[in-house]
Amino acid sequence: MTAVAVWSILLTPGQKETIVPQADLQIKNAALGEKLSDESGRTTVKLTYANPANIDDEDELDEESPEDGITAVLCSLTAGKIEQSACDLILESDEEYTFELIGKNTVYLYGNYIDQNTNQPPYDSDMDSDMSDEGAYNLDDVSSDVEVHPDELQGLEDDSDRFEELPEDEPKAEEPKPSKRPRDDAMDTDAQPAEKVSKKKKAKKQKGEDGKAIPVAVEEKAVEPKGEKEEEKKADKKEKKKQKAAEEKKGGASKELAGGVKIRDVKIGDGKTAKNGAKVSMRYIGKLQNGKIFDQNTKSKPFSFKLGSGEVIKGWDVGVAGMQIGGEREIIVPPAMGYGARKMGDIPANSTLIFEVKCLEIK
C-alpha cells in the first residue's frame, strides 16, 4: 500500500459533509479545531455509508435509499482531555460517504489517497525502467497475437506426428552387414563403389609388384571409411534424440480453466510444481488486447506471492497453478477474473488481460 496524495476535510457542527473519493482513501487522524465553541463538551464524528449487502452491481448504486445506509461512530473528542484521535479507516473509491458531527466543536479529518495494488500484478513492476531491456527474461517465443482463435492453436498438436517416424530410422543405424558384402555396397551409391573398386585394384597391384601378401593393409583401408560412417550415424541418432527432447519441452495448445482463464504453455519447466500454498517467484509482462504493455517485471527482484491465498488477481491464482520451475506460459485473464468493471490506472474497465509469465522459483 502506497500513499499517493494528502487529503483533509473540515467538519462543522450541524452540517453534513458527503464525499465520493476518486481513489482509495485512508483516514489516519481526527483532531479538534483551533477555536473551541464548547471547552468542556464532547464532539462525536459519525460516518454513514452504503450497505454492501444491498449492492448487486454498479447500476443499483444510484437507486439506493437512505434507509440502506449504515451509520457508525468514527471517534469522540473531548476538549482538554482527548483532542485528537488516530484512525485507520480505508474508504473505497467511487463510493458515497457522509460525515456528521454531534457536538459544538469543529473537527479536522486528514489522511492520504492510497494505491492498494502495489503488491500484486500488474503494479509490482519496474515500469519506470527501460521497457526495451528484457535481457533477463527472453520472451521472443511467446506470441503476443491475441486475435488468434484458440481452435487455430490446435494445429500445434500435429507436430508430435513428425517424431513418431523415429523408430523407422533406428534399423538404419544397426546395419553393419554391408561391411561383409561388398556386392550390396555397390548398390547404395554411385560414388562409393568406384572408390572401393579403385582401392581394391590398388591393393592387388601392390600385392603383385611386391610379391608379398598384405591382406591386413587392404582390410584396414576398407574398414576406416565404414567406421567413420558408423560414427556419423551415431552422432545423427544422438542429435535426433536431443531434438525430440527439445520438442517435448515445448508446450501444446491453449487450455481453458476455471472462470474462463486460458493458458498456453510455451515452455514446460521441470522440478517442483506450483500448488496452492506455495510461494512462487515470477517474471511477467502484462498487455492489453491491443498489444499495449501496461506492466512488467523482467529484471531485478522478481515478483513473489503465495499461490491460492488471494494476494493476486483470481486469474493469476488459477493461471499460474501447475507451472514448474523454468516454465513459460501465456495467461489470458477475462475481466471477471481480473479487475472487472473498475478502471485501474492504465487498464480500462472490463479489460481482458494477457500475461506472459516465467516461473523462477517455487518454495
Side-chain angles (χ1 to χ4, degrees):
M1 183 171 62
T2 303
V4 177
V6 177
W7 172 89
S8 64
I9 188 173
L10 173 62
L11 303 181
T12 304
Q15 296 182 5
K16 294 184 178 181
E17 293 289 344
T18 300
I19 64 171
V20 180
Q22 298 303 307
D24 291 347
L25 173 63
Q26 182 182 27
I27 300 177
K28 304 186 70 173
N29 199 79
L32 293 175
E34 296 178 354
K35 296 181 179 180
L36 300 176
S37 300
D38 186 354
E39 296 183 355
S40 61
R42 186 179 71 168
T43 302
T44 299
V45 181
K46 298 175 65 177
L47 169 65
T48 302
Y49 58 95
N51 187 352
N54 296 332
I55 301 176
D56 294 330
D57 53 42
E58 294 182 349
D59 297 334
E60 294 184 5
L61 293 176
D62 298 334
E63 300 176 2
E64 291 182 351
S65 63
E67 297 178 355
D68 294 331
I70 297 176
T71 300
V73 173
L74 183 60
C75 64
S76 293
L77 305 175
T78 303
K81 294 182 179 180
I82 303 175
E83 296 194 351
Q84 63 177 346
S85 175
C87 305
D88 188 7
L89 177 65
I90 297 178
L91 307 183
E92 293 186 353
S93 61
D94 300 326
E95 300 290 343
E96 185 176 291
Y97 303 91
T98 300
F99 294 97
E100 181 181 4
L101 293 182
I102 304 299
K104 299 181 180 180
N105 295 322
T106 59
V107 175
Y108 285 89
L109 300 179
Y110 68 88
N112 299 98
Y113 287 107
I114 59 173
D115 182 0
Q116 300 191 73
N117 299 287
T118 55
N119 291 327
Q120 62 172 291
Y123 291 99
D124 182 22
S125 66
D126 51 351
M127 285 295 290
D128 296 333
S129 63
D130 186 4
M131 297 288 287
S132 63
D133 185 6
E134 299 181 2
Y137 179 33
N138 186 4
L139 291 173
D140 293 339
D141 295 334
V142 180
S143 171
S144 298
D145 186 4
V146 298
E147 301 297 333
V148 179
H149 195 275
D151 294 339
E152 298 179 11
L153 298 176
Q154 294 179 357
L156 295 176
E157 297 176 355
D158 298 335
D159 292 342
S160 59
D161 296 338
R162 295 181 299 171
F163 307 107
E164 295 178 0
E165 299 176 3
L166 282 177
E168 299 178 3
D169 297 337
E170 291 180 358
K172 294 182 180 180
E174 299 177 359
E175 293 180 355
K177 293 182 179 180
S179 61
K180 297 181 181 180
R181 301 180 63 184
R183 292 184 180 179
D184 294 341
D185 292 341
M187 299 177 64
D188 293 340
T189 60
D190 295 336
Q192 290 181 357
E195 292 179 0
K196 292 179 180 179
V197 172
S198 62
K199 289 179 180 179
K200 290 180 180 179
K201 288 182 179 180
K202 290 180 180 179
K204 289 180 180 180
K205 289 180 180 180
Q206 291 176 359
K207 182 178 180 180
E209 294 174 358
D210 299 338
K212 296 180 181 180
I214 51 173
V216 177
V218 174
E219 291 178 358
E220 289 178 353
K221 292 181 180 179
V223 171
E224 287 179 356
K226 292 180 182 178
E228 294 176 358
K229 185 176 180 180
E230 289 177 358
E231 291 179 357
E232 291 177 358
K233 288 183 178 180
K234 290 180 180 179
D236 291 341
K237 187 176 180 180
K238 290 181 180 179
E239 184 65 25
K240 288 179 180 179
K241 288 183 178 180
K242 290 181 180 179
Q243 292 178 357
K244 182 178 180 180
E247 292 294 337
E248 288 176 350
K249 287 289 184 179
K250 292 185 179 179
S254 176
K255 299 178 183 179
E256 184 168 343
L257 306 178
V261 176
K262 296 180 180 179
I263 63 171
R264 183 174 67 87
D265 285 314
V266 178
K267 179 181 178 182
I268 306 298
D270 52 24
K272 289 185 179 180
T273 301
K275 298 179 181 179
N276 286 345
K279 184 176 181 181
V280 294
S281 297
M282 308 291 294
R283 297 288 191 196
Y284 67 88
I285 292 179
K287 299 180 181 180
L288 301 177
Q289 286 184 299
N290 59 9
K292 179 181 178 181
I293 296 177
F294 59 81
D295 190 19
Q296 69 174 357
N297 181 311
T298 58
K299 60 182 181 179
S300 188
K301 183 180 179 181
F303 170 69
S304 300
F305 69 99
K306 187 176 182 181
L307 187 62
S309 62
E311 294 181 3
V312 294
I313 57 177
K314 294 180 180 179
W316 265 56
D317 275 336
V318 173
V320 173
M323 292 189 69
Q324 293 176 282
I325 297 175
E328 298 179 13
R329 178 176 289 183
E330 179 185 69
I331 304 175
I332 300 178
V333 180
M337 299 295 282
Y339 295 100
R342 297 176 61 186
K343 180 180 181 297
M344 299 296 295
D346 294 334
I347 304 176
N350 296 312
S351 292
T352 296
L353 311 177
I354 298 95
F355 291 96
E356 299 165 357
V357 303
K358 180 176 182 180
C359 181
L360 300 182
E361 186 179 17
I362 301 174
K363 294 183 180 179

